[in-house]
Amino acid sequence: SCAKILAKPLLFASDGDDEGMGVAFRRVPRWGWFGVGTTADGVAKIVLPQPTKRKVAQQLRAFRTNVAQDLAEACAEDIARYLQGEPVDLQGFPIDWCFVPAAARPILQRLRETVPRGQTVSYKALARACGKLRGARLVGWAMAVNPVPLLVPCHRVVRSDGTLGGFRGGGLLKQ
């Protein structure tokens, strides 16, 4: 449950109680290293490409190779293919929503359910779809705290004028 997971300091980083956690790393030419952290309930964290594996590992130090390893490996493999330009459907991977702030969950869930590959949505339009008539900044915040970019496609959210806006993975990855 979310309460059990979130009650652990550093998300199980040092207490030895890491059952149900998994981690996988991949290096993709042109992009660098990325990683996937999982729990028994789904993908919990994706670290977008960094120049070194060490930088990725630091952000995934809470996750360990264990029973959710198959999910971590499968997700990492598909993301690697996606980053290489292959048409990959990332929608089938379960997400552990415990790692998403409560206020961001409905926004990220709506985005994942309604904006397919090849389409974009504005911050304003997504806010309205979530019942937040003046919530474009809230949507921007939700995109910024999204722990599973690519699975929840925050890179598909653009400004109302169609320009890209921000993305922690950089403009090239957002494109």
Side-chain angles (χ1 to χ4, degrees):
S1 80
C2 289
K4 179 182 175 190
I5 289 172
L6 297 177
K8 299 284 184 179
L10 293 176
L11 308 175
F12 303 121
S14 61
D15 66 5
D17 182 14
D18 57 359
E19 184 175 336
M21 308 290 273
V23 64
F25 301 94
R26 294 288 186 282
R27 185 183 172 283
V28 178
R30 278 191 32 204
W31 295 107
W33 287 92
F34 75 91
V36 177
T38 58
T39 69
D41 293 326
V43 178
K45 185 169 179 86
I46 295 173
V47 178
L48 294 172
Q50 301 287 319
T52 66
K53 183 178 180 181
R54 182 177 180 181
K55 286 188 176 199
V56 176
Q58 287 172 342
Q59 294 180 56
L60 290 172
R61 68 186 176 274
F63 299 90
R64 310 224 194 285
T65 303
N66 207 325
V67 297
Q69 191 61 32
D70 289 347
L71 175 60
E73 295 291 344
C75 185
E77 193 59 36
D78 278 3
I79 289 173
R81 291 177 42 228
Y82 180 87
L83 291 173
Q84 292 174 38
E86 292 184 37
V88 177
D89 181 12
L90 300 173
Q91 294 297 308
F93 290 102
I95 294 172
D96 186 340
W97 293 101
C98 291
F99 290 80
V100 177
R105 268 183 223 150
I107 296 167
L108 296 177
Q109 288 169 335
R110 174 67 59 112
L111 173 63
R112 188 172 201 228
E113 294 165 1
T114 61
V115 183
R117 185 178 178 143
Q119 293 185 13
T120 59
V121 64
S122 72
Y123 294 94
K124 182 178 181 178
L126 182 55
R128 286 188 174 164
C130 293
K132 310 287 184 191
L133 299 182
R134 298 176 55 98
R137 287 185 184 204
L138 176 63
V139 168
W141 168 80
M143 299 307 107
V145 300
N146 176 9
V148 287
L150 303 180
L151 296 191
V152 175
C154 52
H155 58 286
R156 296 182 189 150
V157 183
V158 297
R159 294 178 177 148
S160 292
D161 65 4
T163 58
L164 293 183
F167 183 62
R168 84 182 101 161
L172 184 60
L173 188 55
K174 187 163 183 169
Q175 290 176 3

